[in-house]
Amino acid sequence: MILDRGSNNVAGVILAGGLASRMGGGDKCLNVLGKKTILGHVIGRLSHQLTHIALNANGDPGRFAEFQLPVIPDQTNKFLGPLAGVLSGLDWAFDNGFNQIVTVAADTPFFPLKLVKMLDEKLLNSPSQIALAATNKNGSSKIIRHPTFGLWPVSLRSDLRHSLDLGIRKVVQWTEKHKHIDVLFENKEADPFFNVNTYEDLERARRRIMLEGK
């Protein structure tokens, strides 16, 4: 179900600004996975949850033309990590009248179809400003955060810009300052936040897609 809490409240931003160094560079999200590219699967899952989506990516935006999404680059030619993509998403959202964004990683084709709903519900009942996805490690109480999957308020964009200028690069280093909330997702059978970092990961994802018939 697509989240609807006002006409221009929440937008989705897919983060594809990584260097893909473990796969020789390039756009790993454009690798084929079953009947679609990895990015195609990501867009499909997010479009079931949000109406408005943009893609954060650097370089020639024309290589993503087939997906018909706004492409927003980082605001620097230096690679500053996912926080730079979050900032670009927040600025784009502000310019287009949105109050919040949900970010997802472009190399994670199995993330939950209830991601946005769960982040939103947990944040509504919390004094926190930011919600981050998390799972328990191997059924234990230890929490593993997935900080590229989060719900972020546009109102913090100036603070994030200042923090990046000060040299902050780690997502959790910045979010802890704003008392983020962890939102737990089940990973009993398969990791919903499995991401494709290597060619071995790509083969694993292809086997998983084949089993799911997609």
Side-chain angles (χ1 to χ4, degrees):
M1 178 180 293
I2 293 177
L3 182 69
D4 184 8
R5 284 202 291 102
S7 59
N8 271 350
N9 193 35
V10 186
V13 176
I14 300 170
L15 302 177
L19 296 175
S21 56
R22 282 182 277 180
M23 297 184 75
D27 299 301
K28 59 181 174 178
C29 63
L30 296 182
N31 280 288
V32 175
L33 188 60
K35 300 175 184 178
K36 306 177 186 178
T37 61
I38 297 172
L39 181 57
H41 286 285
V42 171
I43 292 170
R45 296 183 85 82
L46 192 56
S47 64
H48 280 294
Q49 305 179 57
L50 290 170
T51 302
H52 303 282
I53 300 172
L55 176 66
N56 163 239
N58 300 307
D60 180 11
R63 67 195 193 278
F64 300 108
E66 65 179 284
F67 300 104
Q68 299 182 330
L69 295 178
V71 179
I72 49 176
D74 292 344
Q75 298 172 15
T76 174
N77 56 8
K78 299 178 182 179
F79 178 69
L80 302 181
L83 278 179
V86 174
L87 177 59
S88 293
L90 292 175
D91 282 342
W92 170 81
F94 175 81
D95 291 339
N96 288 277
F98 298 102
N99 299 322
Q100 297 171 298
I101 63 170
V102 169
T103 57
V104 302
D107 61 356
T108 310
F110 306 108
F111 67 87
L113 289 171
K114 292 185 178 181
L115 174 77
V116 177
K117 184 175 184 292
M118 287 183 63
L119 292 175
D120 180 64
E121 287 179 349
K122 292 291 185 180
L123 199 59
L124 281 175
N125 298 311
S126 166
S128 304
Q129 294 179 281
I130 300 167
L132 297 181
T135 51
N136 287 122
K137 184 176 181 179
N138 300 326
S140 71
S141 59
K142 183 178 179 180
I143 290 177
I144 300 175
R145 294 190 181 100
H146 305 280
T148 52
F149 290 82
L151 178 57
W152 318 79
V154 170
S155 60
L156 287 181
R157 66 193 187 100
S158 295
D159 184 276
L160 177 53
R161 194 185 326 277
H162 179 63
S163 296
L164 283 168
D165 289 341
L166 291 177
I168 291 177
R169 299 291 179 265
K170 293 184 178 180
V171 175
V172 175
Q173 185 181 0
W174 182 68
T175 58
E176 283 183 346
K177 170 182 166 184
H178 297 287
K179 299 179 180 179
H180 76 269
I181 183 174
D182 292 318
V183 181
L184 284 174
F185 292 84
E186 290 187 357
N187 61 340
K188 292 181 179 178
E189 296 181 3
D191 181 4
F193 298 102
F194 171 82
N195 63 315
V196 179
N197 276 325
T198 66
Y199 287 110
E200 290 77 14
D201 291 337
L202 181 59
E203 289 307 311
R204 288 173 60 195
R206 284 172 173 164
R207 290 193 294 271
R208 183 167 167 179
I209 283 288
M210 186 169 61
L211 289 173
E212 294 180 1
K214 298 179 180 178

